[in-house]
Structures are given as C-alpha cells and as structure tokens.
C-alpha cells in the first residue's frame, strides 16, 4: 500500500478545515496510517524546508508554519502521492481550479491548506522526519 505525508497547515487549523479536508481524502479512498498534532520548531522547519532555507522568503515560511500547532499525517492508498496532490491542486491557490482543496479553501502560494509530499521518495523522507516507525500503522 502506498503512503504519503501531509501537513494540515496553520491556515487549515485556524479556519477549522481539518475535518473537511480529511473527509475529502477519505472520500477519495485514502485512510490514515498516522496522525498527530505538533508545534513545528525552528530546527524542524529548517530541516523540512532545507531546499529553500537559503532563499529570502524562508523566514516568512518559517514564521507562518511555526505560528500555531499543525497536524502531520500519513495517508495510505493506491497511488496516494499523485492523487493527493491532484486533490489539493497547484501550490498557488490562486491558480488552483474550483473543486480542488486549494482552489476551494486556499488563499495564495503559502496559505494553501496542506503540504503534501511530491514523490514516493520524499513521502518516506518526510514521514521519517516526523514519525517514529512504530507510529505509522498499516
């Protein structure tokens, strides 16, 4: 069974959208293999966003992502990585079509409801970053 990693971002948490977004994932046939609420630390944010940590916009991302607790989760299902990204729509919510999660609920490039892994390899790396193996079931 394929797995992917998602973060229900601070805007999702603040607007009370976690249940609605999770319901969309479950309606698409995916189930939860792991989930927990955490506060992202500066160290964890620098590790997770290492690919952009040297960019001028990184401090804004770190401030936003660390602004409130988030829910991190692992979803499982056939072809889950690509299908979750399709359900979310493009990263920039202003370009996401209606009917996608970001198109319906997001605001812009950063305030876009959820992060989702972009490959099977990154799904495993990100899952390992946030979960101990015993926390991921199924």
């Amino acid at each position: 069974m394929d797995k992917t990693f998602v973060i229900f971002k601070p805007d999702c948490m603040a607007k009370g959208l976690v249940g609605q977004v999770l319901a969309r994932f479950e309606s698409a046939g995916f189930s939860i293999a792991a989930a927990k609420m955490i506060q992202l630390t500066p160290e964890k944010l620098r590790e997770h966003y290492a690919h952009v940590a040297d960019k001028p916009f990184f401090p804004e991302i770190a401030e936003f992502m660390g602004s409130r607790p988030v829910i991190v989760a692992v979803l499982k299902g056939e072809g889950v990585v690509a299908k979750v990204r399709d359900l979310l729509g493009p990263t920039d919510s202003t370009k996401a079509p209606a009917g996608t999660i970001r198109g319906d609920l997001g605001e812009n490039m950063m305030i876009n409801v959820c992060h989702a892994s972009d490959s099977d390899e990154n799904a495993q790396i990100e899952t390992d970053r946030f979960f101990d193996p015993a926390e991921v079931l199924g």
Side-chain angles (χ1 to χ4, degrees):
M1 191 67 60
D2 300 324
K3 294 184 178 107
T4 197
F5 173 80
V6 297
I7 301 174
F8 294 87
K9 294 173 77 171
D11 56 305
C12 186
M13 302 294 288
K15 295 175 185 175
L17 299 174
V18 173
Q20 184 178 339
V21 174
L22 185 56
R24 288 193 191 197
F25 293 147
E26 290 179 319
S27 291
F30 305 120
S31 58
I32 303 167
K36 62 184 172 184
M37 183 181 291
I38 63 170
Q39 180 70 50
L40 294 169
T41 64
E43 297 77 25
K44 191 65 77 173
L45 286 164
R46 184 161 289 284
E47 181 184 357
H48 186 68
Y49 290 104
H51 60 288
V52 295
D54 61 341
K55 304 287 186 194
F57 56 83
F58 173 73
E60 185 181 4
I61 291 172
E63 181 179 348
F64 171 66
M65 291 299 292
S67 67
R68 68 182 309 125
V70 297
I71 292 175
V72 293
V74 177
L75 302 176
K76 63 181 179 177
E78 191 68 36
V80 69
V81 172
K83 290 177 183 174
V84 162
R85 291 184 65 81
D86 287 345
L87 287 168
L88 285 172
T91 302
D92 186 346
S93 296
T94 65
K95 296 178 179 160
T100 64
I101 292 168
R102 290 176 174 150
D104 294 346
L105 306 171
E107 294 180 23
N108 57 40
M109 189 78 155
M110 183 166 38
I111 301 172
N112 63 5
V113 188
C114 272
H115 160 83
S117 300
D118 61 1
S119 68
D120 290 331
E121 179 184 10
N122 282 336
Q124 187 62 57
I125 291 167
E126 292 174 347
T127 296
D128 292 345
R129 180 176 295 137
F130 291 95
F131 291 96
D132 292 327
E135 295 178 302
V136 182
L137 307 176

